[in-house]
């Protein structure tokens, strides 16, 4: 599949899953697990994506693995493909993420790591231990498996 077809596939899967389970299920504490489940589904289809982690800035965070040991909040997780970010709303922008971190957390200057491998064990551990998920990545993946 070409890049445009892949983008359409990403948007289609997000929209169909939101219709199936409700968009609220894909947001808040679940957005990280949703991103991991979606990344796995896309990988199965030959579409390689990365994740972007947005978090409360902290002087001791210099690389992704630092998020596991430093007490900081994970605000948002999105998948990245072709220099664009995607979450439950479809394609999202930095301004929307900044609006979210400002309105929900009072933080207009969060930090982030981009181009992160969703299969990385540190990333999976960070999302599992530092977000308030109610459904895990395997559940999202199984729901996505039912979408053709």
């Amino acid at each position: 599949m070409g890049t445009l077809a892949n983008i359409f596939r990403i948007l289609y899967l997000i929209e169909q899953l939101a219709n199936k389970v409700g968009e609220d299920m894909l947001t808040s504490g679940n957005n990280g697990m949703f991103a991991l489940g979606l990344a796995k589904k896309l990988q199965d289809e030959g579409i390689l994506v990365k994740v972007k982690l947005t978090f409360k800035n902290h002087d001791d965070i210099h690389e992704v693995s630092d998020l596991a040991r430093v007490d900081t909040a994970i605000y948002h997780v999105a998948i990245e493909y072709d220099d664009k970010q995607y979450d439950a709303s479809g394609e999202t922008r930095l301004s929307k993420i900044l609006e979210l971190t400002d309105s929900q957390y009072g933080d207009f200057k969060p930090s982030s790591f981009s181009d992160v491998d969703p299969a990385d064990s540190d990333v999976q551990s960070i999302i599992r231990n530092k977000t308030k998920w109610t459904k895990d990545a395997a559940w999202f993946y199984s729901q996505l498996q039912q979408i053709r």
Side-chain angles (χ1 to χ4, degrees):
M1 265 194 272
T3 300
L4 190 55
N6 290 345
I7 290 169
F8 284 140
R9 182 63 176 160
I10 292 166
L11 293 171
Y12 175 79
L13 288 171
I14 292 169
E15 179 181 34
Q16 292 301 305
L17 187 60
N19 290 340
K20 180 177 171 52
V21 302
E23 188 174 332
D24 289 350
M25 184 61 77
L26 311 181
T27 60
S28 299
N30 280 329
N31 73 358
M33 290 296 182
F34 163 59
L36 293 178
L38 179 58
K40 181 164 177 29
K41 169 70 171 165
L42 292 166
Q43 179 183 2
D44 289 353
E45 296 183 8
I47 304 170
L48 301 179
V49 298
K50 299 290 186 169
V51 295
K52 179 174 185 172
L53 301 165
T54 303
F55 55 92
K56 182 173 179 58
N57 194 5
H58 193 287
D59 290 341
D60 292 335
I61 299 174
H62 306 288
E63 55 189 46
V64 173
S65 61
D66 293 337
L67 289 170
R69 65 174 181 73
V70 174
D71 185 23
T72 192
I74 305 298
Y75 295 145
H76 188 263
V77 182
I79 64 165
E80 294 179 310
Y81 180 77
D82 195 36
D83 295 322
K84 295 182 176 116
Q85 299 172 50
Y86 302 88
D87 62 12
S89 63
E91 184 181 341
T92 191
R93 300 185 185 284
L94 177 60
S95 61
K96 186 174 176 189
I97 294 170
L98 291 175
E99 182 181 300
L100 170 106
T101 62
D102 186 36
S103 67
Q104 288 189 4
Y105 305 103
D107 188 350
F108 194 70
K109 293 186 177 184
S111 291
S112 65
F113 288 117
S114 295
D115 200 35
V116 178
D117 182 356
D120 181 280
S121 61
D122 282 334
V123 171
Q124 293 181 10
S125 175
I126 290 160
I127 291 171
R128 185 173 35 264
N129 295 322
K130 299 226 175 192
T131 63
K132 295 177 181 168
W133 53 273
T134 59
K135 300 290 184 183
D136 66 9
W139 184 85
F140 286 105
Y141 176 74
S142 72
Q143 297 300 309
L144 286 160
Q145 287 291 87
Q146 298 169 29
I147 299 170
R148 297 291 166 223

Short mmCIF file of all heavy atoms in Angstrom, two decimals, residues 6-19 23 26-27 31 34-35 38 42 76-81 83-94 96-97:
data_model
loop_
_atom_site.label_atom_id
_atom_site.label_comp_id
_atom_site.label_asym_id
_atom_site.label_seq_id
_atom_site.Cartn_x
_atom_site.Cartn_y
_atom_site.Cartn_z
N ASN A 6 -2.26 4.03 3.20
CA ASN A 6 -1.99 3.71 4.60
C ASN A 6 -2.65 4.72 5.53
O ASN A 6 -3.20 4.35 6.57
CB ASN A 6 -0.48 3.68 4.86
CG ASN A 6 0.20 2.50 4.20
OD1 ASN A 6 -0.44 1.54 3.78
ND2 ASN A 6 1.51 2.57 4.09
N ILE A 7 -2.60 5.99 5.17
CA ILE A 7 -3.26 7.02 5.98
C ILE A 7 -4.76 6.77 6.03
O ILE A 7 -5.38 6.84 7.10
CB ILE A 7 -2.93 8.43 5.45
CG1 ILE A 7 -1.46 8.75 5.70
CG2 ILE A 7 -3.83 9.49 6.09
CD1 ILE A 7 -0.94 9.99 5.00
N PHE A 8 -5.34 6.46 4.89
CA PHE A 8 -6.78 6.15 4.86
C PHE A 8 -7.09 4.93 5.73
O PHE A 8 -8.10 4.90 6.43
CB PHE A 8 -7.28 5.92 3.44
CG PHE A 8 -7.44 7.18 2.64
CD1 PHE A 8 -7.07 7.21 1.31
CD2 PHE A 8 -7.95 8.34 3.20
CE1 PHE A 8 -7.22 8.37 0.55
CE2 PHE A 8 -8.11 9.50 2.46
CZ PHE A 8 -7.73 9.51 1.13
N ARG A 9 -6.20 3.93 5.72
CA ARG A 9 -6.41 2.74 6.53
C ARG A 9 -6.36 3.08 8.02
O ARG A 9 -7.19 2.62 8.80
CB ARG A 9 -5.38 1.66 6.18
CG ARG A 9 -5.54 0.37 6.93
CD ARG A 9 -6.84 -0.32 6.62
NE ARG A 9 -6.92 -1.61 7.32
CZ ARG A 9 -8.04 -2.25 7.55
NH1 ARG A 9 -9.19 -1.78 7.11
NH2 ARG A 9 -8.03 -3.38 8.19
N ILE A 10 -5.40 3.89 8.41
CA ILE A 10 -5.29 4.31 9.81
C ILE A 10 -6.56 5.03 10.24
O ILE A 10 -7.16 4.70 11.27
CB ILE A 10 -4.05 5.22 10.01
CG1 ILE A 10 -2.76 4.41 9.82
CG2 ILE A 10 -4.08 5.90 11.38
CD1 ILE A 10 -1.50 5.25 9.67
N LEU A 11 -6.99 6.00 9.44
CA LEU A 11 -8.20 6.77 9.77
C LEU A 11 -9.43 5.88 9.79
O LEU A 11 -10.31 6.04 10.66
CB LEU A 11 -8.37 7.93 8.79
CG LEU A 11 -7.30 9.02 8.89
CD1 LEU A 11 -7.43 10.00 7.73
CD2 LEU A 11 -7.36 9.73 10.23
N TYR A 12 -9.52 4.94 8.86
CA TYR A 12 -10.65 4.02 8.80
C TYR A 12 -10.72 3.16 10.07
O TYR A 12 -11.78 3.01 10.68
CB TYR A 12 -10.54 3.13 7.56
CG TYR A 12 -11.61 2.07 7.48
CD1 TYR A 12 -12.89 2.39 7.03
CD2 TYR A 12 -11.35 0.76 7.84
CE1 TYR A 12 -13.89 1.43 6.96
CE2 TYR A 12 -12.33 -0.21 7.78
CZ TYR A 12 -13.60 0.12 7.34
OH TYR A 12 -14.57 -0.84 7.27
N LEU A 13 -9.58 2.60 10.47
CA LEU A 13 -9.56 1.76 11.67
C LEU A 13 -9.95 2.56 12.92
O LEU A 13 -10.71 2.07 13.76
CB LEU A 13 -8.19 1.12 11.85
CG LEU A 13 -7.84 0.01 10.87
CD1 LEU A 13 -6.37 -0.39 11.01
CD2 LEU A 13 -8.75 -1.20 11.07
N ILE A 14 -9.45 3.78 13.03
CA ILE A 14 -9.79 4.62 14.18
C ILE A 14 -11.29 4.89 14.19
O ILE A 14 -11.95 4.73 15.23
CB ILE A 14 -8.99 5.94 14.16
CG1 ILE A 14 -7.51 5.67 14.40
CG2 ILE A 14 -9.54 6.93 15.20
CD1 ILE A 14 -6.60 6.86 14.14
N GLU A 15 -11.83 5.31 13.06
CA GLU A 15 -13.25 5.62 12.98
C GLU A 15 -14.13 4.41 13.26
O GLU A 15 -15.10 4.50 14.02
CB GLU A 15 -13.58 6.18 11.60
CG GLU A 15 -15.06 6.51 11.44
CD GLU A 15 -15.39 7.05 10.06
OE1 GLU A 15 -14.76 6.64 9.07
OE2 GLU A 15 -16.29 7.90 9.98
N GLN A 16 -13.77 3.28 12.68
CA GLN A 16 -14.58 2.07 12.88
C GLN A 16 -14.52 1.59 14.33
O GLN A 16 -15.53 1.17 14.89
CB GLN A 16 -14.12 0.96 11.93
CG GLN A 16 -14.42 1.24 10.47
CD GLN A 16 -15.90 1.45 10.23
OE1 GLN A 16 -16.73 0.62 10.56
NE2 GLN A 16 -16.23 2.60 9.65
N LEU A 17 -13.35 1.67 14.94
CA LEU A 17 -13.24 1.25 16.34
C LEU A 17 -14.01 2.21 17.25
O LEU A 17 -14.68 1.77 18.18
CB LEU A 17 -11.78 1.14 16.77
CG LEU A 17 -11.58 0.55 18.16
CD1 LEU A 17 -12.15 -0.88 18.25
CD2 LEU A 17 -10.12 0.56 18.55
N ALA A 18 -13.92 3.50 16.97
CA ALA A 18 -14.67 4.48 17.76
C ALA A 18 -16.17 4.21 17.65
O ALA A 18 -16.90 4.29 18.64
CB ALA A 18 -14.34 5.89 17.31
N ASN A 19 -16.63 3.88 16.45
CA ASN A 19 -18.05 3.54 16.26
C ASN A 19 -18.42 2.27 17.01
O ASN A 19 -19.53 2.14 17.53
CB ASN A 19 -18.38 3.38 14.77
CG ASN A 19 -18.35 4.70 14.03
OD1 ASN A 19 -18.45 5.77 14.62
ND2 ASN A 19 -18.19 4.62 12.72
N GLU A 23 -16.02 6.44 21.19
CA GLU A 23 -14.77 7.23 21.15
C GLU A 23 -14.21 7.45 22.55
O GLU A 23 -12.99 7.49 22.74
CB GLU A 23 -15.01 8.58 20.45
CG GLU A 23 -13.73 9.34 20.23
CD GLU A 23 -13.90 10.61 19.41
OE1 GLU A 23 -14.82 10.68 18.59
OE2 GLU A 23 -13.10 11.53 19.62
N LEU A 26 -11.48 5.24 23.72
CA LEU A 26 -10.16 5.38 23.08
C LEU A 26 -9.36 6.56 23.63
O LEU A 26 -8.24 6.79 23.21
CB LEU A 26 -10.32 5.57 21.56
CG LEU A 26 -11.23 4.60 20.82
CD1 LEU A 26 -11.24 4.93 19.34
CD2 LEU A 26 -10.83 3.17 21.06
N THR A 27 -9.96 7.31 24.55
CA THR A 27 -9.33 8.53 25.04
C THR A 27 -8.93 8.41 26.50
O THR A 27 -9.04 7.34 27.10
CB THR A 27 -10.28 9.73 24.85
OG1 THR A 27 -11.47 9.49 25.59
CG2 THR A 27 -10.61 9.94 23.39
N ASN A 31 -5.77 6.02 25.97
CA ASN A 31 -5.19 6.37 24.67
C ASN A 31 -3.85 5.69 24.42
O ASN A 31 -3.53 5.38 23.28
CB ASN A 31 -5.14 7.89 24.44
CG ASN A 31 -4.11 8.62 25.25
OD1 ASN A 31 -3.40 8.04 26.07
ND2 ASN A 31 -4.03 9.90 25.05
N PHE A 34 -4.73 2.02 23.51
CA PHE A 34 -5.32 2.07 22.18
C PHE A 34 -4.22 2.23 21.13
O PHE A 34 -4.20 1.53 20.11
CB PHE A 34 -6.33 3.22 22.09
CG PHE A 34 -6.69 3.63 20.70
CD1 PHE A 34 -7.26 2.73 19.81
CD2 PHE A 34 -6.46 4.92 20.27
CE1 PHE A 34 -7.58 3.11 18.51
CE2 PHE A 34 -6.79 5.31 18.99
CZ PHE A 34 -7.35 4.41 18.10
N ALA A 35 -3.28 3.14 21.38
CA ALA A 35 -2.18 3.36 20.43
C ALA A 35 -1.35 2.08 20.24
O ALA A 35 -0.99 1.74 19.11
CB ALA A 35 -1.29 4.51 20.90
N LEU A 38 -3.49 -0.44 18.20
CA LEU A 38 -3.58 0.00 16.81
C LEU A 38 -2.24 -0.20 16.10
O LEU A 38 -2.21 -0.65 14.94
CB LEU A 38 -4.01 1.46 16.75
CG LEU A 38 -4.14 2.09 15.36
CD1 LEU A 38 -5.13 1.32 14.48
CD2 LEU A 38 -4.56 3.56 15.49
N LEU A 42 -1.75 -2.43 12.73
CA LEU A 42 -1.16 -1.85 11.53
C LEU A 42 0.12 -2.58 11.13
O LEU A 42 0.37 -2.82 9.94
CB LEU A 42 -0.90 -0.36 11.73
CG LEU A 42 -2.16 0.50 11.85
CD1 LEU A 42 -1.82 1.89 12.37
CD2 LEU A 42 -2.89 0.58 10.52
N HIS A 76 -0.47 12.17 27.09
CA HIS A 76 -1.09 11.78 25.82
C HIS A 76 -0.16 10.83 25.07
O HIS A 76 1.06 10.98 25.14
CB HIS A 76 -1.34 13.02 24.96
CG HIS A 76 -2.14 12.77 23.74
ND1 HIS A 76 -1.56 12.57 22.51
CD2 HIS A 76 -3.48 12.69 23.55
CE1 HIS A 76 -2.51 12.38 21.61
NE2 HIS A 76 -3.68 12.45 22.21
N VAL A 77 -0.77 9.87 24.39
CA VAL A 77 -0.02 8.96 23.52
C VAL A 77 -0.73 8.93 22.18
O VAL A 77 -1.94 8.77 22.12
CB VAL A 77 0.06 7.53 24.10
CG1 VAL A 77 0.88 6.62 23.20
CG2 VAL A 77 0.62 7.54 25.53
N ALA A 78 0.03 9.11 21.12
CA ALA A 78 -0.53 9.08 19.77
C ALA A 78 0.36 8.19 18.91
O ALA A 78 1.52 7.95 19.24
CB ALA A 78 -0.59 10.48 19.17
N ILE A 79 -0.19 7.70 17.81
CA ILE A 79 0.66 7.01 16.86
C ILE A 79 1.14 8.04 15.84
O ILE A 79 0.49 9.06 15.62
CB ILE A 79 -0.01 5.81 16.18
CG1 ILE A 79 -1.21 6.23 15.32
CG2 ILE A 79 -0.41 4.75 17.18
CD1 ILE A 79 -1.64 5.13 14.38
N GLU A 80 2.29 7.77 15.24
CA GLU A 80 2.86 8.65 14.23
C GLU A 80 3.05 7.87 12.94
O GLU A 80 3.52 6.72 12.97
CB GLU A 80 4.22 9.17 14.67
CG GLU A 80 4.18 10.08 15.87
CD GLU A 80 5.56 10.55 16.27
OE1 GLU A 80 6.47 9.71 16.40
OE2 GLU A 80 5.72 11.76 16.46
N TYR A 81 2.69 8.50 11.86
CA TYR A 81 2.91 7.93 10.54
C TYR A 81 3.07 9.07 9.54
O TYR A 81 2.25 10.00 9.56
CB TYR A 81 1.75 7.01 10.12
CG TYR A 81 1.97 6.40 8.76
CD1 TYR A 81 2.84 5.34 8.58
CD2 TYR A 81 1.34 6.94 7.64
CE1 TYR A 81 3.08 4.81 7.32
CE2 TYR A 81 1.58 6.42 6.37
CZ TYR A 81 2.45 5.35 6.23
OH TYR A 81 2.68 4.83 4.98
N ASP A 83 5.01 11.62 9.37
CA ASP A 83 5.14 12.93 10.02
C ASP A 83 3.81 13.52 10.50
O ASP A 83 3.69 14.74 10.66
CB ASP A 83 5.84 13.94 9.10
CG ASP A 83 7.28 13.54 8.80
OD1 ASP A 83 7.94 13.03 9.72
OD2 ASP A 83 7.72 13.73 7.66
N LYS A 84 2.82 12.67 10.73
CA LYS A 84 1.54 13.12 11.28
C LYS A 84 1.22 12.27 12.50
O LYS A 84 1.70 11.16 12.65
CB LYS A 84 0.43 12.98 10.24
CG LYS A 84 0.65 13.90 9.05
CD LYS A 84 -0.48 13.78 8.06
CE LYS A 84 -0.27 14.79 6.96
NZ LYS A 84 -0.05 14.24 5.67
N GLN A 85 0.38 12.84 13.37
CA GLN A 85 -0.02 12.14 14.60
C GLN A 85 -1.49 11.78 14.53
O GLN A 85 -2.30 12.55 14.01
CB GLN A 85 0.20 13.05 15.81
CG GLN A 85 1.62 13.47 16.02
CD GLN A 85 1.72 14.50 17.11
OE1 GLN A 85 1.18 14.31 18.19
NE2 GLN A 85 2.40 15.60 16.84
N TYR A 86 -1.82 10.62 15.10
CA TYR A 86 -3.19 10.13 15.10
C TYR A 86 -3.57 9.64 16.49
O TYR A 86 -2.78 8.98 17.16
CB TYR A 86 -3.35 8.98 14.09
CG TYR A 86 -2.99 9.39 12.68
CD1 TYR A 86 -1.67 9.28 12.24
CD2 TYR A 86 -3.93 9.92 11.83
CE1 TYR A 86 -1.33 9.69 10.96
CE2 TYR A 86 -3.59 10.33 10.55
CZ TYR A 86 -2.28 10.21 10.13
OH TYR A 86 -1.93 10.61 8.86
N ASP A 87 -4.79 10.00 16.89
CA ASP A 87 -5.35 9.50 18.14
C ASP A 87 -6.82 9.21 17.90
O ASP A 87 -7.26 9.08 16.75
CB ASP A 87 -5.09 10.47 19.30
CG ASP A 87 -5.74 11.83 19.14
OD1 ASP A 87 -6.59 12.01 18.24
OD2 ASP A 87 -5.42 12.72 19.93
N ALA A 88 -7.62 9.13 18.93
CA ALA A 88 -9.04 8.78 18.80
C ALA A 88 -9.81 9.74 17.91
O ALA A 88 -10.82 9.37 17.31
CB ALA A 88 -9.69 8.72 20.17
N SER A 89 -9.32 10.96 17.77
CA SER A 89 -10.02 11.95 16.95
C SER A 89 -9.59 11.88 15.48
O SER A 89 -10.11 12.63 14.65
CB SER A 89 -9.77 13.36 17.49
OG SER A 89 -8.40 13.69 17.40
N GLY A 90 -8.67 10.99 15.15
CA GLY A 90 -8.13 10.91 13.80
C GLY A 90 -6.79 11.63 13.79
O GLY A 90 -6.01 11.51 14.74
N GLU A 91 -6.52 12.38 12.72
CA GLU A 91 -5.27 13.14 12.68
C GLU A 91 -5.37 14.26 13.70
O GLU A 91 -6.37 14.95 13.81
CB GLU A 91 -5.02 13.73 11.29
CG GLU A 91 -3.69 14.44 11.20
CD GLU A 91 -3.42 15.06 9.84
OE1 GLU A 91 -4.07 14.68 8.85
OE2 GLU A 91 -2.56 15.96 9.80
N THR A 92 -4.32 14.41 14.48
CA THR A 92 -4.30 15.45 15.50
C THR A 92 -3.07 16.33 15.30
O THR A 92 -2.16 15.97 14.56
CB THR A 92 -4.36 14.86 16.92
OG1 THR A 92 -4.61 15.90 17.85
CG2 THR A 92 -3.10 14.11 17.29
N ARG A 93 -3.08 17.47 15.93
CA ARG A 93 -1.98 18.44 15.77
C ARG A 93 -1.42 18.82 17.14
O ARG A 93 -2.09 18.67 18.15
CB ARG A 93 -2.49 19.68 15.05
CG ARG A 93 -3.03 19.39 13.68
CD ARG A 93 -3.41 20.68 12.96
NE ARG A 93 -4.05 20.42 11.69
CZ ARG A 93 -3.43 20.04 10.59
NH1 ARG A 93 -2.14 19.86 10.60
NH2 ARG A 93 -4.09 19.83 9.47
N LEU A 94 -0.23 19.38 17.11
CA LEU A 94 0.42 19.82 18.34
C LEU A 94 -0.47 20.81 19.10
O LEU A 94 -0.59 20.72 20.32
CB LEU A 94 1.77 20.46 18.02
CG LEU A 94 2.53 21.05 19.21
CD1 LEU A 94 2.83 19.97 20.25
CD2 LEU A 94 3.81 21.72 18.73
N LYS A 96 -3.63 21.00 19.31
CA LYS A 96 -4.71 20.29 20.01
C LYS A 96 -4.18 19.58 21.26
O LYS A 96 -4.83 19.58 22.30
CB LYS A 96 -5.37 19.29 19.06
CG LYS A 96 -6.57 18.64 19.65
CD LYS A 96 -7.29 17.77 18.64
CE LYS A 96 -8.44 17.05 19.31
NZ LYS A 96 -9.04 16.05 18.47
N ILE A 97 -3.01 19.01 21.15
CA ILE A 97 -2.41 18.33 22.31
C ILE A 97 -2.04 19.35 23.38
O ILE A 97 -2.27 19.13 24.57
CB ILE A 97 -1.21 17.48 21.88
CG1 ILE A 97 -1.70 16.33 20.99
CG2 ILE A 97 -0.45 16.94 23.09
CD1 ILE A 97 -0.62 15.55 20.29
#
